[in-house]
Amino acid sequence: MTSSTDPSPSPSARPSLWRHRDFRRYLTGQAASVTGSSISAMVIPVLAVLELDATTAEVAWLTFLGQLPPALLALHAGALADRHAKRKQMITGDLISAAALASVPVAVLLNRLSLPHLMVVAAVQGAAGVLHDAAAISLLPSLVDRSLIQRSNSRIGALFAVAATAGNSVGAALTALLGPARALLGDVLSYLVSAWCTARIQAPENPRPAVEGRRLHTEIGEGLRYVHGDHRLRTLTLVNATTSFALALLNTLWALYLLRSLAMSTTVFGVVLGSGALGALAAPSLAARYGPGPMMPAALALTPLTQIPLLLASPGLVWQFAIGAALFLQLARAAAAGTTQRSIRQVVTAGAMQARMQAVSTWLTSGVRPVAALLAGGLGNWIGMRATLIVGSCLLLVPLVVLYRSPLRTLREMPGSPAATPSATAALAQPAPSPRGPAVPRPTAPGDVRHDRSPGGSL
């Protein structure tokens, strides 16, 4: 691990990430997973709304059950990922998700598909995704040098944008050709590809063995105290959680609003989602040009503005283009801010705390989503969908205020890696040796040692 005072290698001296075999396998597997998730993100609302005639409240419950597992399991999944082999945990999550989604087309074949079945699938897939993502996000810092983390996350964000766009287009095509239920087989295949690529990563893992007598909840507590004790981690986690709450309230009703209130066809729905995902391709250049501090509040300020076309829209081609353009800007903002804040958190976190740090963020960020989903359902029935969308748009101002009040807004460059402090050392029962890879140099100091399947990351 390099200290915060170590000079960063010049760009010409840095090895190419594309020549790093394990990074390529990691990236390929995660990109396949994002492609498949984009298919499900488009297909499942279509199944619920158009095939099963779900009401506003039922759509809210479907969203709630899919987002509940991270709130219940994220902290445990993070502690397990710091203690055990991350790749095995990722593969297990992929295989469980594939099996759960495969049950949907089987149920359709048997004429037994129901909304409760879809809700169970959403809950199981959510739980399996927690296991996978806790390990996947924390695996990256052990594959590449910390000086390359921002570049790695930028590459990941750009490729995920392409993958998400392809997934939405493929989802629309499969829905038109095979029907929405069979279209989910595309996501099943993506999970299998992700598991296969993860299994082929050859970099040795050295998970920190559990100290005799130490329980999992003790290590979970260490992760919570670690994040709370660092003002950068604490601020970014709070920004993530408040942003997630507002967006979850909006996204719960978004598909229902477009498909039913604006009479958008399933094909156009997929194209709109795909055009929005392309906005994430602008993320690396935005972060590099303006610096992490100024760019993040600017991105957060843009988010409420991108909701205006949705709030003003009426059925028609012109508004479909307007919504697609707004989503393009929103995803560009999300990817730029998301990859930057994720890189900051990974760089400043000690190696053996990576998964637990990420788990705390996932727990809070994902934990507020079920509450937001239920609130969206209640408000949608009480004051109407458009008024509920206005409420969600106003809530997007809260994370902007939180970040603006933080010193992080003045950060012009990425911070350095953490030095080994007594508090960090006490939190690490046993430092994990740095794994060796074929092309990219590794940190060597003691203490060094998912991913969000959305292209924009968690911010």
Side-chain angles (χ1 to χ4, degrees):
M1 177 189 303
T2 57
S3 71
S4 59
T5 59
D6 289 339
S8 299
S10 63
S12 60
R14 293 174 180 172
S16 170
L17 286 169
W18 302 121
R19 298 176 62 184
H20 188 288
R21 181 175 54 194
D22 284 336
F23 178 75
R24 289 201 314 269
R25 290 170 176 170
Y26 172 88
L27 191 60
T28 302
Q30 299 309 298
S33 183
V34 168
T35 302
S37 293
S38 297
I39 295 175
S40 293
M42 183 216 146
V43 170
I44 288 180
V46 172
L47 267 173
V49 175
L50 300 184
E51 300 291 329
L52 299 176
D53 198 26
T55 64
T56 301
E58 287 170 338
V59 170
W61 273 106
L62 178 63
T63 305
F64 171 80
L65 291 173
Q67 295 174 348
L68 183 62
L72 300 178
L73 304 175
L75 294 176
H76 298 81
L80 288 172
D82 271 339
R83 180 185 288 188
H84 301 294
K86 294 177 174 61
R87 295 200 301 273
K88 290 183 179 179
Q89 187 165 317
M90 291 166 64
I91 293 170
T92 300
D94 281 334
L95 295 180
I96 293 174
S97 293
L101 277 177
S103 71
V104 175
V106 171
V108 169
L109 185 64
L110 299 175
N111 199 27
R112 299 292 297 272
L113 182 64
S114 63
L115 197 60
H117 182 170
L118 210 57
M119 290 179 176
V120 171
V121 169
V124 172
Q125 186 183 11
V130 172
L131 287 175
H132 176 278
D133 292 347
I137 297 176
S138 58
L139 179 64
L140 178 63
S142 68
L143 294 179
V144 301
D145 184 80
R146 286 180 185 268
S147 65
L148 299 174
I149 284 180
Q150 187 177 23
R151 285 175 59 199
S152 301
N153 279 321
S154 294
R155 301 295 188 274
I156 291 170
L159 185 59
F160 280 11
V162 176
T165 302
N168 283 297
S169 300
V170 170
L174 290 177
T175 299
L177 292 174
L178 305 176
R182 293 183 180 87
L184 289 177
L185 292 175
D187 198 8
V188 173
L189 178 62
S190 79
Y191 281 117
L192 298 179
V193 171
S194 176
W196 180 72
C197 290
T198 302
R200 296 186 69 228
I201 294 175
Q202 295 179 352
E205 283 192 72
N206 296 280
R208 177 179 51 81
V211 176
E212 185 176 354
R214 281 171 61 89
R215 296 184 177 181
L216 200 63
H217 69 79
T218 302
E219 299 183 3
I220 291 173
E222 288 175 353
L224 290 167
R225 289 190 295 272
Y226 187 87
V227 171
H228 184 267
D230 189 301
H231 74 91
R232 299 162 298 185
L233 297 176
R234 185 173 64 247
T235 297
L236 291 176
T237 300
L238 182 58
V239 167
N240 285 350
T242 52
T243 304
S244 179
F245 181 86
L247 289 178
L249 190 149
L250 291 166
N251 292 339
T252 298
L253 300 180
W254 197 59
L256 185 67
Y257 185 68
L258 293 180
L259 292 169
R260 186 167 291 170
S261 297
L262 299 185
M264 189 175 289
S265 69
T266 57
T267 301
V268 173
F269 182 59
V271 171
V272 167
L273 290 181
S275 64
L278 283 174
L281 290 173
S285 60
L286 289 174
R289 180 173 182 179
Y290 298 106
M295 185 273 299
M296 287 191 292
L300 288 172
L302 178 64
T303 307
L305 299 178
T306 60
Q307 306 303 313
I308 293 176
L310 179 65
L311 299 175
L312 299 178
S314 58
L317 184 62
V318 173
W319 283 112
Q320 291 171 1
F321 277 109
I323 292 172
L327 192 58
F328 178 94
L329 292 175
Q330 181 178 326
L331 266 291
R333 164 316 296 174
T339 57
T340 300
Q341 63 83 20
R342 186 184 302 117
S343 299
I344 292 173
R345 290 189 290 115
Q346 289 173 334
V347 166
V348 303
T349 299
M353 297 295 294
Q354 284 285 340
R356 280 174 285 174
M357 174 278 296
Q358 180 58 43
V360 173
S361 179
T362 301
W363 174 58
L364 288 175
T365 301
S366 302
V368 298
R369 291 174 185 166
V371 179
L374 292 181
L375 179 62
L379 288 177
N381 284 327
W382 180 35
I383 62 177
M385 280 192 287
R386 191 184 294 265
T388 303
L389 293 174
I390 293 175
V391 172
S393 299
C394 293
L395 289 175
L396 286 171
L397 296 173
V398 176
L400 174 61
V401 174
V402 172
L403 187 61
Y404 188 78
R405 292 171 58 87
S406 165
L408 282 174
R409 73 179 188 278
T410 62
L411 189 65
R412 294 287 178 175
E413 297 179 354
M414 292 295 293
S417 300
T421 63
S423 59
T425 304
L428 309 181
Q430 180 175 335
S434 176
R436 296 187 300 275
V440 175
R442 297 297 195 283
T444 56
D448 178 66
V449 340
R450 296 154 31 210
H451 89 155
D452 187 348
R453 282 161 63 98
S454 68
S458 54
L459 182 60

